Amino acid sequence: MTGTLAEKVWESHVVRRAEGEPDLLYIDLHLLHEVTSPQAFDGLRLAGRGVRRPDLTLATEDHNVPTTPGPIVDPVSLTQVETLRRNCAEFGVPLYPMGDAEQGIVHVIGPQLGLTQPGMTVVCGDSHTSTHGAFGAIAFGIGTSEVEHVLATQTLPLKPFRTMAVNVDGELPDGVTAKDIVLAVIAKIGTGGGQGYVIEYRGSAIEALSMEARMTVCNMSIEAGARAGMIAPDETTFAYLKDRPHAPSGQAWDEAVEAWRALRTDDDATFDTEVHLDAGQLAPFVTWGTNPGQGLPLSASVPDPESFADEGQRASAARALEYMDLEAGTPLREIAVDTVFLGSCTNGRIEDLRAAAGVIQGRRVADGVRMLVVPGSARVRLQAESEGLDRVFTDAGAEWRLAGCSMCLGMNPDQLEPGERSASTSNRNFEGRQGKGGRTHLVSPLVAAATAVRGTLSSPADL
Amino acid sequence: MEPFTVHVGRAVPLRRTNVDTDQIIPVRFLTRSSIAGYGENLFNDWRDDPDFVLNDPRFTDASILVAGTDFGIGSSRESAVWALTGRGFKAVLSPRFGDIFYGNALSNGLLPVTVDEAATKALWELIERDPSLAVTIDLGAKQVRAASLAVPFEIDSHARWRLMHGLDDVSLTEHHTARIADYESRRRPTMPTTGRRREVS
């Protein structure tokens, strides 16, 4: 069959197709966490339904957990986590709870375990499920009603997405990372530019990325409005997967790799939309506003709202500057932060920690700045500790934490206070996202580390 | 789910674009384990501002929200929909919606109505001039009506049929259980399963 990567994966999962109806799509992997699943299990119980494929379902605790040792203090949060444990036990769903060596952010553990594989369909009640698309899977976030639907039937009724190619060619300059690519993409197409699309990231700059960097790119597809982002599997993908706990082995491995090699967009296939970026022109990117599309190269200044031609963008920028307490014309490099957060499903993997540690080694976190380093999973933490990265961070004055979503979202104890400002490697700079009244600048791990040292938004080149 | 055919109610103008789900329901309220109660915290942090439109007594009993473009972007939290329905909203109008929010709204019988920017502005002006104005959302006719204004809207025909009959997706899919089983019998047997593979170290 001729088509795009997305169309090929879609077609191979159609259970039922009928005129005028959405396709019924089979789901290969369903990931669960404590926040968006309790009402889905309640729905099953109410209707007397079971979980069709607990063996294709995996749960962990990530959003609502503390990243310091000890129990959950907030009783409502504790109830939510205990509810997940009870639901998993009742319905036979495997669970990696707090304290387990496999626990971690749901989008970090799936790939790390080798559960996310090319050509699969992956869903989770979390919009950053797009992360798994880095393996050439169709992976997207779903609501709780859809979680219930997948639990009950292992399928979802869906209308096909439109297809968008984001071509990034050329070579990234030194100090420019996957995070900067995706922030530049979002700034270019806007927070709604990808709505209704699945994005395929292509081009020499994407092919040159490691798997972890590809995950960073796909992770933020949703911030451009696209429910899913994908990258065609290649030798980098296969090398990452080989010998992972859930990857096929022996003859099954060879057969799987042969099948995965066919997962490419054909030369004569067409996308509904194409976007081009020159990697050589990219620079470290930071956001200045309250949505991920409001970003600029670090060398720029806070924009004047009046400079936006579109009326909606003008109003949005004016409101953002007020919330962020920024003045038009201020160089971004002069913006001082209170907090630096290194972690999340976007940038909480071992390569992210290594990159930041490389910058911060032998230096100190600036006076008055708090730096939180939160590994994306317990395995990432153990790996980092075996490499001595934890000591690099703590010697510099940063806090070394347990795995979880942490300050990416202000629902667990790690939050900004009202008026505090962060440089954060997470994915959303929405008002209050990291705590009520908190102000967020999205950055790469390299920029986060340099910012921690200087106390103002900075890149390693500024040190 | 209750069927949705025609709804007549008052509307509230939310003159903002990029209203993400973190604004609709801040994440710190997502610790609940049931659907009830989210309405209390709808737009919680914006409500601190006395000038916020939902604090305006003229709009407190509105059941239709008219918002700027890119409404419901961001997080997949269905509680954003539960917060709106919990406050009595039946329909949300915007030139463009976040994909996941749109699907979540349909799952809960909250009608997401896509109308263009010109129609959105026209509605804002009408309801600001007369907050008591009756606005009609007619799903059968695929039309929004207010005073002399009549705006057509598009919606997927299958989604519309489900809403008009109040049908639940799971029940519909259960008619195809045999097909699901057939598909499963054809899956590559070495596809991964989730049981623990690595011993705890």
Side-chain angles (χ1 to χ4, degrees):
Chain A
M1 170 211 151
T2 295
T4 62
L5 168 63
E7 288 160 350
K8 289 181 183 184
V9 178
W10 184 284
E11 284 302 316
S12 67
H13 287 82
V14 175
V15 169
R16 175 180 179 269
R17 176 169 286 161
E19 182 66 28
E21 293 185 41
D23 285 348
L24 192 62
L25 218 62
Y26 198 79
I27 303 302
D28 293 319
L29 178 63
H30 185 193
L31 301 167
L32 299 173
H33 62 83
E34 71 276 19
V35 179
T36 57
S37 65
Q39 298 86 353
F41 282 107
D42 278 351
L44 290 184
R45 265 190 293 268
L46 206 64
R49 294 177 173 126
V51 174
R52 182 177 179 86
R53 295 296 300 267
D55 62 326
L56 303 183
T57 311
L58 179 69
T60 192
E61 300 163 1
D62 57 3
H63 282 62
N64 203 355
V65 302
T67 58
T68 47
I72 298 177
V73 176
D74 173 46
V76 187
S77 298
L78 180 63
T79 300
Q80 195 177 58
V81 168
E82 285 175 341
T83 301
L84 178 71
R85 292 176 187 174
R86 212 170 45 243
N87 285 332
C88 287
E90 180 182 339
F91 290 91
V93 173
L95 166 71
Y96 293 132
M98 285 165 60
D100 194 293
E102 307 295 0
Q103 176 268 346
I105 305 175
V106 67
H107 311 309
V108 176
I109 69 170
Q112 168 184 289
L113 287 162
L115 276 169
T116 306
Q117 296 175 15
M120 289 174 59
T121 47
V122 182
V123 298
C124 174
D126 187 283
S127 60
H128 293 109
T129 309
S130 57
T131 311
H132 306 261
F135 291 78
I138 290 186
F140 53 92
I142 57 179
T144 297
S145 296
E146 291 171 307
V147 170
E148 182 182 339
H149 194 283
V150 178
L151 287 172
T153 68
Q154 204 58 35
T155 64
L156 270 180
L158 285 167
K159 280 178 58 175
F161 302 123
R162 286 175 291 168
T163 57
M164 177 188 291
V166 171
N167 303 286
V168 190
D169 284 299
E171 205 171 319
L172 286 175
D174 271 354
V176 181
T177 67
K179 183 64 162 284
D180 305 306
I181 294 178
V182 72
L183 285 173
V185 169
I186 300 161
K188 186 178 173 91
I189 70 175
T191 53
Q195 268 166 34
Y197 289 96
V198 51
I199 294 176
E200 183 183 334
Y201 300 94
R202 300 154 59 81
S204 56
I206 299 296
E207 288 163 20
L209 296 176
S210 71
M211 278 318 294
E212 296 196 358
R214 293 179 190 185
M215 285 187 248
T216 299
V217 173
C218 289
N219 171 275
M220 290 191 69
S221 302
I222 183 67
E223 311 317 336
R227 224 167 154 179
M230 303 176 85
I231 295 172
D234 59 9
E235 296 305 324
T236 303
T237 320
F238 310 147
Y240 177 95
L241 276 169
K242 191 150 177 47
D243 300 326
R244 299 240 163 215
H246 291 263
S249 57
Q251 196 190 334
W253 169 261
D254 296 335
E255 286 168 11
V257 169
E258 197 187 322
W260 295 341
R261 284 189 202 283
L263 296 171
R264 306 195 69 78
T265 293
D266 294 313
D267 292 341
D268 55 349
T270 53
F271 291 91
D272 296 315
T273 304
E274 294 217 36
V275 174
H276 294 271
L277 257 81
D278 178 355
Q281 297 300 311
L282 295 178
F285 238 73
V286 301
T287 61
W288 50 268
T290 52
N291 72 58
Q294 291 175 324
L296 280 169
L298 178 61
S299 55
S301 297
V302 176
D304 184 344
E306 292 305 316
S307 67
F308 292 91
D310 176 78
E311 185 189 333
Q313 282 190 10
R314 205 154 53 229
S316 172
R319 194 179 150 76
L321 292 200
E322 190 188 337
Y323 181 86
M324 295 293 288
D325 191 27
L326 291 173
E327 271 184 47
T330 306
L332 294 172
R333 271 199 174 84
E334 289 178 11
I335 296 173
V337 304
D338 316 286
T339 300
V340 172
F341 171 59
L342 175 61
S344 85
C345 59
T346 312
N347 281 128
R349 298 180 177 80
I350 191 68
E351 290 177 8
D352 300 312
L353 302 190
R354 285 178 191 146
V359 172
I360 218 154
Q361 182 144 34
R363 296 188 165 108
R364 291 284 307 169
V365 174
D367 286 343
V369 174
R370 163 176 69 148
M371 182 181 192
L372 248 64
V373 184
V374 187
S377 70
R379 291 276 175 198
V380 170
R381 177 175 59 82
L382 294 170
Q383 176 67 31
E385 289 174 356
S386 77
E387 297 177 20
L389 303 184
D390 56 323
R391 292 297 303 275
V392 172
F393 289 115
T394 53
D395 286 353
E399 294 176 42
W400 179 249
R401 296 296 190 88
L402 301 177
C405 295
S406 184
M407 199 182 267
C408 176
L409 78 177
M411 84 175 298
N412 54 64
D414 304 340
Q415 301 198 18
L416 293 180
E417 294 294 318
E420 278 189 334
R421 185 183 299 281
S422 78
S424 176
T425 65
S426 55
N427 40 57
R428 288 190 173 132
N429 53 342
F430 297 149
E431 289 179 27
R433 171 75 181 184
Q434 296 189 291
K436 187 178 179 183
R439 299 170 175 136
T440 303
H441 298 274
L442 300 177
V443 300
S444 72
L446 291 176
V447 170
T451 300
V453 172
R454 292 189 75 221
T456 55
L457 294 177
S458 305
S459 74
D462 298 322
L463 297 175
Chain B
M1 197 164 81
E2 274 183 44
F4 189 115
T5 49
V6 178
H7 174 74
V8 184
R10 292 186 186 186
V12 55
L14 182 61
R15 284 186 179 262
R16 289 187 191 180
T17 60
N18 281 291
V19 177
D20 59 81
T21 54
D22 275 84
Q23 307 318 312
I24 301 171
I25 180 82
V27 73
R28 63 184 183 280
F29 301 111
L30 266 59
T31 50
R32 295 170 191 272
S33 299
S34 69
I35 288 175
Y38 283 103
E40 291 167 29
N41 304 112
L42 175 67
F43 294 118
N44 191 87
D45 294 353
W46 285 356
R47 298 185 79 105
D48 291 350
D49 172 6
D51 294 331
F52 181 55
V53 69
L54 278 175
N55 289 332
D56 185 331
R58 297 175 304 162
F59 295 115
T60 44
D61 62 350
S63 56
I64 299 163
L65 185 70
V66 186
T69 196
D70 292 329
F71 185 85
I73 60 169
S75 157
S76 65
R77 64 192 67 167
E78 197 155 322
S79 42
V81 172
W82 300 331
L84 287 160
T85 55
R87 280 273 304 196
F89 281 96
K90 304 288 185 195
V92 184
L93 280 61
S94 171
R96 190 165 58 185
F97 291 91
D99 281 347
I100 307 177
F101 176 88
Y102 190 90
N104 288 343
L106 292 175
S107 296
N108 289 273
L110 174 73
L111 185 64
V113 184
T114 310
V115 290
D116 67 19
E117 293 197 10
T120 303
K121 280 183 190 152
L123 279 163
W124 281 340
E125 280 161 22
L126 274 176
I127 52 189
E128 280 166 358
R129 212 177 303 142
D130 178 9
S132 68
L133 183 70
V135 175
T136 302
I137 313 287
D138 186 337
L139 184 55
K142 294 191 285 184
Q143 198 179 55
V144 178
R145 295 186 292 273
S148 61
L149 191 71
V151 183
F153 65 88
E154 285 307 313
I155 182 169
D156 173 70
S157 59
H158 187 76
R160 174 166 162 265
W161 171 76
R162 278 197 298 115
L163 281 167
M164 293 187 71
H165 293 87
L167 293 172
D168 151 31
D169 264 344
V170 181
S171 315
L172 291 176
T173 299
E174 279 177 339
H175 292 299
H176 310 302
T177 304
R179 294 229 199 188
I180 298 170
D182 177 59
Y183 181 90
E184 286 175 330
S185 72
R186 290 182 280 116
R187 290 177 83 229
R188 183 159 53 81
T190 53
M191 294 284 280
T193 54
T194 52
R196 188 188 288 273
R197 288 287 173 86
R198 187 155 50 181
E199 289 313 306
V200 180
S201 52

